[in-house]
Amino acid sequence: MNRSLKTMTAVAAAAALSIGFVSAGHAATQTKIAFVMGAEADPFFQAMKVGAQAQATASNVNLVWQGDPSHYDVQTEVPIVDSVISQAPDGLVLIPTDPTGLQASSDKAVAAGIQVANVDTHVADLSKVLTFITGDNGDGGAKAADAIAGAIKYTKGKTYQVVVGLTSKTATTNVARLDGFKAQIAKKYPGIKIKDVAYSASNPQTASSNVNNWLTKYPNLSGIFAIDGTNASGAAAALQSKKLVGKVALVGYDAYPANVALLKKGVFTALIAQDPAAEARLAIKTLVAKIVNGKNPAKRDVVIPNVALTKSTSAANLKKYTYVAN
Amino acid sequence: MTDSKQDQLKPAGIGAGIAKLFSNQSILLVAVILVLGIFFSIQSGGDFAKVMVFNNILTDWGSIILLAVGQTLVVISGGIDLSVGATVSLSSVVSAFVMMNVFKWDGTITGDAATVPLLVGTLIAVLTGAAVGVVNAILINVAKIVPFIATLATLSAAGGLAIIISGGQPLQGPSNFSLISAFGDPRLNPFSFMIIAVIVVVVIAGLFIHKAKLGLYTYAIGSNTFAARGAGINVERHLTKVYVLSGVFAGLGGMYSYIRLGAGSPTSGSGMELYAIAATVIGGASLMGGVGRILGTVLGTLVLYTVQSGLLMINVSPDWKQIVVAILIAGAVAVQGFKFTSKRSK
């Protein structure tokens, strides 16, 4: 081997070693957390991303943000989660689009030594999950029932027709909100009858179509509970095109900026808002505490309250709860 | 085949007449719509027969038919365009973004004051759709990627771009709900301005496809590409036109969605490509190419939304909708197969 070749080999070896040391040092100090959410196109998850990124920077976390661009669907989420697991992160924040469909992937992550947190929705068996952080969806559904009852000036002895627009039959948030809505109606407003439910599959045009058909089928419809942001957008458009704003109470979920603007215009009677950024921040904090310091959360399940926004909500609170995107 | 065998295959008398009548896919679809209409009207206690239900069906029909017309053209050429749903999302979002950020037209502009902004928005949506069509054509003609994969790639890219541009949020720009409302001009009820505009576009497209060189070349390429090339047709140039037109129709569909929702939404076209393909197939087009009629596609789309609206009006679980659509597609393909077999046996 001539001298120049030896020199080159030595330089290459030194470079490789130094890269190795830097990588090792980097890996030793920076925790890697993967965050797999439902659908990137949903402003709820955009707001969550803002919170996750802020906390990742504060906690020196290498954040891997993943999920389907637009479909809130178990069939697209499973391969994404499995691919993320193969990257061997220290922690995984998972928003399961289906409680049973994502169970195997969640178990696989735990078996690979990855700490798993569930946010917003959860897998069927939470026993191996470090923490589950969610908005109080049941309470949100109850607040929606209160808002509709208030808007229609509910009177005992009278009957009222309402309908509910959902995105999916199995998403645990949809189910919890509907259960909370039904329970509150049974408890406090027995005169309110839920006439029908329909699914929009995350498409606001489908949500609008469902409401158009309901408005024709139930000419005496008193209220609509649009159980998430997509249904809220579609229902608001249908009421405006049928010139029924103010005549049918509309309670939506999720404080998209566009929906908050429609609340101010009186199209929505009320909007139930969550705090997705706070949920994401807490999930990353909890995972870092476990991964870096071995510290378990004080309690596994954490519920962050939902709030009902109305036209009379203060400007400061409207701003606070409006979902902010990047 | 011997004469005696042919005689055995031919239905006789009135049966033969009925069989001949129903071998025409369009007549069959009209019959299906009538039967469905009567069935849903009886089951809903007359609710389904209301004029407003017809308006609801037409409003839904308008959201898909533009995509389905483009899809029919592509399918006749022997290809497929999976990108149309994502193009709806992208064009509605780009249109809203440009109106709001370039021209500074925001959600406070409503009613008649929104006419000029919405016309500009339509132009932007059409250009966006055409751009997606150009990309599809380049992938298919230059990169030699099969249409299924090429348009699958643009579906993904257009969907991603829609999210990036909108930040995942519906963008609420100028709006005029009177354009999509049956109450906008009561004289038009159950039609609305937008439904009439869509019908005009579909009729013009139908004339070009069935009466002009555009259609003739498309049928020729879809039937036999080698023969079409041999006859002097520049296949690549013509396919470019076909995919750009499909993109233009999807762009118009994006603007329809914008006007319907009063906002550009990154999920407004989610899954619509499958409905457009389903309507095309139910309408009698063959995914093998060379076969398809715009009238069939118009009726196929009406069948889909008559079913969707009808099931909701009679309180059938939404889960059944998918099953019924699957049965309709299978039935349409079976009818095609039957017609093909009958023709060959003659």
Side-chain angles (χ1 to χ4, degrees):
Chain A
M1 196 181 283
N2 63 34
R3 194 172 170 180
S4 61
L5 192 59
K6 280 181 184 172
T7 308
M8 281 173 64
T9 309
V11 168
L17 275 173
S18 55
I19 289 167
F21 281 129
V22 169
S23 306
H26 197 62
T29 54
Q30 196 171 35
T31 308
K32 184 175 176 182
I33 293 179
F35 201 124
V36 181
M37 46 77 210
E40 181 89 13
D42 189 330
F44 177 82
F45 296 117
Q46 289 286 327
M48 196 169 262
K49 189 177 184 180
V50 171
Q53 284 174 333
Q55 191 59 48
T57 306
S59 303
N60 191 28
V61 164
N62 173 15
L63 183 72
V64 180
W65 179 265
Q66 281 294 339
D68 190 88
S70 57
H71 293 282
Y72 190 89
D73 188 349
V74 61
Q75 287 178 17
T76 55
E77 191 177 26
V78 168
I80 292 172
V81 177
D82 290 349
S83 158
V84 159
I85 292 169
S86 69
Q87 293 173 33
D90 302 299
L92 168 67
V93 183
L94 176 63
I95 299 173
T97 50
D98 186 272
T100 48
L102 269 299
Q103 186 69 55
S105 298
S106 178
D107 291 347
K108 193 171 155 187
V110 173
I114 300 167
Q115 294 293 337
V116 177
N118 279 187
V119 171
D120 189 44
T121 54
H122 62 83
V123 290
D125 177 10
L126 274 166
S127 61
K128 294 174 192 164
V129 171
L130 179 68
T131 183
F132 167 50
I133 301 157
T134 187
D136 193 343
N137 289 294
D139 180 56
K143 283 190 167 100
D146 290 338
I148 284 185
I152 61 178
K153 297 185 173 58
Y154 179 81
T155 310
K156 270 187 184 172
K158 285 189 176 176
T159 56
Y160 305 86
Q161 298 177 334
V162 299
V163 288
V164 185
L166 301 104
T167 269
S168 141
K169 198 173 191 173
T170 54
T172 55
T173 46
N174 277 210
V175 174
R177 289 169 197 171
L178 184 59
D179 287 348
F181 187 70
K182 283 179 176 171
Q184 187 75 340
I185 282 174
K187 187 175 152 193
K188 289 176 70 179
Y189 315 111
I192 294 179
K193 307 292 176 199
I194 299 173
K195 297 301 289 183
D196 202 4
V197 299
Y199 307 107
S200 69
S202 296
N203 187 325
Q205 289 208 78
T206 308
S208 181
S209 167
N210 291 337
V211 174
N212 276 337
N213 283 309
W214 280 327
L215 292 171
T216 308
K217 182 166 175 61
Y218 306 110
N220 298 318
L221 191 69
S222 299
I224 300 167
F225 177 28
I227 217 154
D228 58 17
T230 304
N231 279 282
S233 301
L239 280 192
Q240 289 177 92
S241 70
K242 298 272 186 193
K243 298 193 185 298
L244 288 170
V245 170
K247 291 172 187 158
V248 177
L250 172 60
V251 175
Y253 226 100
D254 292 333
Y256 295 4
N259 288 347
V260 172
L262 292 171
L263 176 73
K264 289 176 185 167
K265 280 169 73 176
V267 177
F268 285 104
T269 309
L271 274 178
I272 311 299
Q274 309 174 78
D275 198 344
E279 291 177 22
R281 281 196 301 269
L282 186 57
I284 300 226
K285 253 187 196 174
T286 308
L287 281 176
V288 169
K290 176 68 179 176
I291 294 162
V292 177
N293 304 320
K295 195 178 159 193
N296 283 315
K299 54 178 184 172
R300 189 194 65 193
D301 298 350
V302 180
V303 175
I304 297 176
N306 286 182
V307 293
L309 306 175
T310 65
K311 218 175 172 180
S312 56
T313 302
S314 70
N317 266 349
L318 279 182
K319 191 177 173 192
K320 178 184 170 188
Y321 285 102
T322 300
Y323 298 174
V324 180
N326 276 316
Chain B
M1 190 180 284
T2 64
D3 285 343
S4 61
K5 279 185 182 172
Q6 275 189 10
D7 289 340
Q8 284 169 15
L9 285 168
K10 280 182 185 173
I14 298 171
I18 293 172
K20 193 179 175 188
L21 193 68
F22 283 94
S23 68
N24 182 322
Q25 189 101 357
S26 297
I27 293 173
L28 186 63
L29 287 171
V30 170
V32 168
I33 291 168
L34 286 174
V35 169
L36 287 172
I38 293 166
F39 172 76
F40 287 132
S41 295
I42 294 168
Q43 290 293 314
S44 65
D47 283 348
F48 190 77
K50 288 177 182 170
V51 174
M52 195 48 71
V53 171
F54 191 43
N55 171 261
N56 294 341
I57 292 172
L58 286 175
T59 304
D60 290 339
W61 172 85
S63 69
I64 285 286
I65 188 60
L66 291 165
L67 282 68
V69 165
Q71 194 70 246
T72 304
L73 189 62
V74 172
V75 165
I76 291 170
S77 77
I80 198 154
D81 189 351
L82 296 177
S83 67
V84 291
T87 306
V88 166
S89 302
L90 179 64
S91 54
S92 81
V93 160
V94 170
S95 180
F97 185 86
V98 173
M99 282 192 280
M100 294 167 74
N101 295 291
V102 177
F103 294 99
K104 307 295 177 194
W105 293 324
D106 62 15
T108 59
I109 301 173
T110 58
D112 291 342
T115 304
V116 172
L118 292 176
L119 282 172
V120 173
T122 304
L123 180 66
I124 295 160
V126 166
L127 290 174
T128 307
V132 176
V134 167
V135 174
N136 280 334
I138 290 170
L139 291 175
I140 292 163
N141 290 330
V142 180
K144 301 293 178 196
I145 300 172
V146 293
F148 187 93
I149 302 298
T151 57
L152 186 63
T154 43
L155 174 157
S156 189
L161 260 179
I163 294 163
I164 291 167
I165 292 167
S166 66
Q169 310 268 358
L171 301 177
Q172 199 176 36
S175 63
N176 184 0
F177 286 103
S178 294
L179 297 173
I180 194 79
S181 169
F183 300 104
D185 184 345
R187 290 169 299 178
L188 300 178
N189 197 9
F191 298 88
S192 64
F193 175 83
M194 286 304 292
I195 293 169
I196 291 171
V198 167
I199 290 171
V200 170
V201 171
V202 171
V203 168
I204 293 170
L207 289 174
F208 269 93
I209 292 172
H210 297 306
K211 301 289 179 194
K213 216 161 57 176
L214 172 82
L216 191 68
Y217 284 9
T218 311
Y219 280 105
I221 292 168
S223 299
N224 189 329
T225 308
F226 294 108
R229 210 184 292 279
I233 297 173
N234 184 332
V235 173
E236 282 72 27
R237 194 168 69 186
H238 191 77
L239 285 181
T240 300
K241 285 182 195 169
V242 166
Y243 281 94
V244 169
L245 273 173
S246 180
V248 165
F249 281 116
L252 285 171
M255 200 56 201
Y256 184 95
S257 136
Y258 176 94
I259 290 171
R260 185 179 188 184
L261 298 170
S265 164
T267 57
S268 58
S270 181
M272 283 172 75
E273 62 281 352
L274 298 180
Y275 269 86
I277 293 167
T280 306
V281 171
I282 292 169
S286 166
L287 292 176
M288 305 297 287
V291 177
R293 305 283 300 173
I294 291 300
L295 180 61
T297 301
V298 166
L299 295 169
T301 314
L302 268 178
V303 168
L304 277 179
Y305 283 103
T306 302
V307 168
Q308 180 159 308
S309 181
L311 292 179
L312 193 142
M313 294 299 280
I314 62 171
N315 283 343
V316 170
S317 162
D319 306 324
W320 280 96
K321 189 179 84 184
Q322 294 177 30
I323 295 167
V324 173
V325 170
I327 291 168
L328 285 170
I329 295 170
V333 175
V335 167
Q336 277 178 28
F338 174 73
K339 278 157 59 181
F340 183 68
T341 313
S342 300
K343 275 182 186 169
R344 284 195 63 178
S345 66
K346 282 176 187 171

